[in-house]
Amino acid sequence: MFGGQRMSVIAGYITFLVVFGAMDAVWLSIMVPRIYLPTIGDMAASPMRILPAIIFYLLYAAGALFFTSARAEQTGAAFVYGVLFGAVAYATYDLTNYATLRNWNLSLTLIDMFWGATATGVAATAAYMVMRYVAER
């Protein structure tokens, strides 16, 4: 990978982190008390464990960038790849929880999967647009 391409990937990675992180922060600040805590109750860590969350975001952004934005040839494809990646990733988490946790319900499973797919699609699209912009300079 040469300088321009490397800068494009770095810019895309940072963009994905910022967009997905900001969207998820807003989502979680509003929805945790409304839908997550009433469902999972005392299973929720209090306070939240920050290090695993940071590791998740760093790894998720790398995976999403590799499988979505870096492979797309147009904006629409970046969104579709992002939605698909997010749906599979969030389905892994949500369906496992639904299968194994007594309090985890179908409603939370579907809401969270939809959220993950949508947020990943938006962040992948933003990353693709930034990567393309940087690569063309």
Side-chain angles (χ1 to χ4, degrees), residues 17-33 48 57 90 115 119:
L17 279 173
V18 169
V19 171
F20 187 83
M23 290 177 65
D24 215 31
V26 170
W27 170 263
L28 292 173
S29 69
I30 295 168
M31 301 309 284
V32 163
M48 183 181 84
Y57 285 106
Y90 274 68
W115 167 250

Side-chain angles (χ1 to χ4, degrees), residues 10-95:
I10 291 169
Y13 181 76
I14 292 168
T15 300
F16 188 94
L17 279 173
V18 169
V19 171
F20 187 83
M23 290 177 65
D24 215 31
V26 170
W27 170 263
L28 292 173
S29 69
I30 295 168
M31 301 309 284
V32 163
R34 292 184 182 172
I35 63 170
Y36 294 92
L37 287 180
T39 301
I40 63 175
D42 66 354
M43 287 179 43
S46 181
M48 183 181 84
R49 297 178 190 109
I50 298 298
L51 183 59
I54 292 170
I55 293 169
F56 162 75
Y57 285 106
L58 294 175
L59 291 174
Y60 192 71
L65 196 69
F66 180 79
F67 288 108
T68 66
S69 309
R71 301 194 180 286
E73 294 183 15
Q74 57 184 333
T75 307
F79 180 75
V80 170
Y81 294 165
V83 166
L84 292 173
F85 182 84
V88 170
Y90 274 68
T92 302
Y93 173 77
D94 288 309
L95 292 173

Side-chain angles (χ1 to χ4, degrees), residues 8 73-75 126-137:
S8 174
E73 294 183 15
Q74 57 184 333
T75 307
Y128 170 81
M129 293 169 69
V130 168
M131 289 172 69
R132 188 169 179 173
Y133 175 79
V134 170
E136 291 174 354
R137 296 195 130 254

Side-chain angles (χ1 to χ4, degrees), residues 106-128:
L106 181 59
S107 176
L108 183 56
T109 298
L110 297 175
I111 290 167
D112 199 58
M113 285 172 55
F114 178 78
W115 167 250
T118 302
T120 305
V122 170
T125 302
Y128 170 81

